[in-house]
Amino acid sequence: MTKVNVYVTLRESVVDPQGIATKDALNTLGFDEVENVRIGKMIQLNIAGDQHEIESRVTEMCDKLLVNKVIENYHFEIEEAAGK
Amino acid sequence: MTKVNVYVTLRESVVDPQGIATKDALNTLGFDEVENVRIGKMIQLNIAGDQHEIESRVTEMCDKLLVNKVIENYHFEIEEAAGK
């Protein structure tokens, strides 16, 4: 089994209201050093089988379902291949 | 300015309906090799000043606002210290 972490972030040009609200809340709590916050997703996939072709398969998953490429960027890490 | 990435994930014992729905959708699309999906958050912080005490400050932010420690785990990476 292989673990893959997909990181999905909003494109720089896209406004992130959740991030703005979080920044404001942190500033209000006294964390004045926080200048900007952006919130993205981390998608952890457990994938059966070996690592053969896993990169192209995960890219396909991102393109078809996991990522909205109009407003989001992504990258992923193939984390580990455990026994089995 | 320092960039910090905070990764927030649901604890193993907590059910992740969003992850289950994503797994089912991937399987339906023909990605039968996907056995499990968990969805977490990636919070990107831009923090002013140098890296002095940044680790303890970010830990405090997580404990006070960013993370619900009853159901979530977190870890963070101090990514880079750009000039200024």
Side-chain angles (χ1 to χ4, degrees), chain B residues 13-74:
Chain B
S13 55
V14 178
V15 175
D16 177 6
Q18 199 185 358
I20 293 167
T22 304
K23 177 198 171 284
D24 290 347
L26 285 169
N27 291 161
T28 303
L29 286 171
F31 298 106
D32 300 315
E33 70 268 43
V34 178
E35 289 185 335
N36 195 33
V37 178
R38 306 279 291 178
I39 297 189
K41 275 178 288 189
M42 174 173 54
I43 304 173
Q44 300 173 300
L45 305 168
N46 287 5
I47 298 181
D50 57 21
Q51 289 190 268
H52 180 61
E53 285 190 342
I54 216 164
E55 210 169 309
S56 64
R57 289 290 280 175
V58 173
T59 303
E60 213 182 322
M61 290 177 208
C62 290
D63 292 348
K64 283 197 180 165
L65 183 76
L66 301 178
V67 179
N68 178 350
K69 289 170 81 179
V70 177
I71 56 167
E72 292 171 332
N73 288 319
Y74 73 95

Side-chain angles (χ1 to χ4, degrees), chain A residues 10-39:
Chain A
L10 282 173
R11 286 180 185 275
E12 284 301 324
S13 56
V14 178
V15 175
D16 177 7
Q18 198 184 359
I20 294 167
T22 304
K23 176 198 172 287
D24 291 346
L26 285 169
N27 291 161
T28 303
L29 285 172
F31 299 106
D32 300 315
E33 71 268 44
V34 178
E35 290 185 336
N36 195 33
V37 179
R38 305 279 291 179
I39 297 190

